[in-house]
Amino acid sequence: GIQVEQSPPDLILQEGANSTLRCNFSDSVNNLQWFHQNPWGQLINLFYIPSGTKQNGRLSATTVATERYSLLYISSSQTTDSGVYFCAVEPGSSNTGKLIFGQGTTLQVKP
Amino acid sequence: DAGVTQSPTHLIKTRGQHVTLRCSPISGHKSVSWYQQVLGQGPQFIFQYYEKEERGRGNFPDRFSARQFPNYSSELNVNALLLGDSALYLCASSLRGSGNNEQFFGPGTRLTVL
């Protein structure tokens, strides 16, 4: 089945710094989403981005489907950005809507 | 508009017991999926239901079952609980069954099996 790999696994930043999180996937996808999981476990939707580029405030994302990767950019990081960031894909061969998640990137932003 | 809701928020059970978790999707959404997330890992797909029919099943034993009701809410049932079933159980809601189809997650039910 499709493999989803996220890097780096852990990231520590000073407040105000910028960062780039990467998601590589091994096959074609119908759907790609980025989530932020807060300390209480809630998965917050950041981007639905099977292809192209989107921006939302300090966050932006780019998916290059032909090269099978997606990037999440966080600019001017704040302590509230801390948490785990997941990339999840729906395989192109799937008709179930099943999302395959990466292992996540744990971000800690220090004041 | 209300998001995805799940109940209960926390649950403690003992080995061998049975548990039922509940999920209500976003209004107008017809698909519900269930995921299990153990500590330190990403969520793992358990089931998807669309228009009240099972559309997909992950690699979980038959102790896990689910159903979707006419109002599109869903229940996840787990029989003969094992210690390894301790996890955060997440429900996701989407408009369609697959394809161009953003999924939205509820707050989860944290199950502890003693």
Side-chain angles (χ1 to χ4, degrees), chain B residues 39-51:
Chain B
L39 200 61
Q41 297 184 18
Q44 299 289 315
F45 174 79
I46 310 175
F47 284 111
Q48 190 214 24
Y49 277 77
Y50 177 61
E51 287 283 20

Side-chain angles (χ1 to χ4, degrees), chain A residues 20-110:
Chain A
T20 300
L21 281 58
R22 187 176 181 101
C23 173
N24 292 332
F25 44 96
S26 60
D27 208 339
S28 64
V29 299
N30 290 331
N31 171 13
L32 188 146
Q33 293 185 241
W34 282 98
F35 298 94
H36 177 209
Q37 189 164 43
N38 67 22
W40 298 272
Q42 172 93 52
L43 285 169
I44 309 297
N45 286 41
L46 298 177
F47 293 102
Y48 170 77
I49 187 165
S51 63
T53 297
K54 292 185 177 180
Q55 181 156 7
N56 184 3
R58 297 182 295 104
L59 303 181
S60 64
T62 295
T63 297
V64 183
T66 53
E67 297 187 19
R68 298 179 182 166
Y69 73 88
S70 183
L71 301 173
L72 177 68
Y73 305 95
I74 305 174
S75 65
S76 304
S77 57
Q78 301 175 358
T79 56
T80 52
D81 294 332
S82 297
V84 184
Y85 289 80
F86 286 104
C87 164
V89 304
E90 178 190 334
S93 59
S94 170
N95 64 351
T96 67
K98 167 183 179 178
L99 286 178
I100 306 296
F101 283 76
Q103 289 299 300
T105 292
T106 300
L107 173 65
Q108 182 182 0
V109 181
K110 294 186 172 182

Side-chain angles (χ1 to χ4, degrees), chain B residues 50-99:
Chain B
Y50 177 61
E51 287 283 20
K52 292 154 280 184
E53 292 187 2
E54 181 182 309
R55 290 286 298 272
R57 183 185 183 116
N59 188 23
F60 281 82
D62 291 343
R63 298 184 296 107
F64 289 75
S65 63
R67 54 179 175 168
Q68 187 176 34
F69 298 100
N71 66 354
Y72 301 109
S73 67
S74 177
E75 282 183 355
L76 175 70
N77 294 284
V78 187
N79 292 324
L81 284 167
L82 303 174
L83 296 179
D85 295 331
S86 295
L88 179 67
Y89 288 85
L90 296 163
C91 170
S93 159
S94 59
L95 199 57
R96 292 176 289 276
S98 64

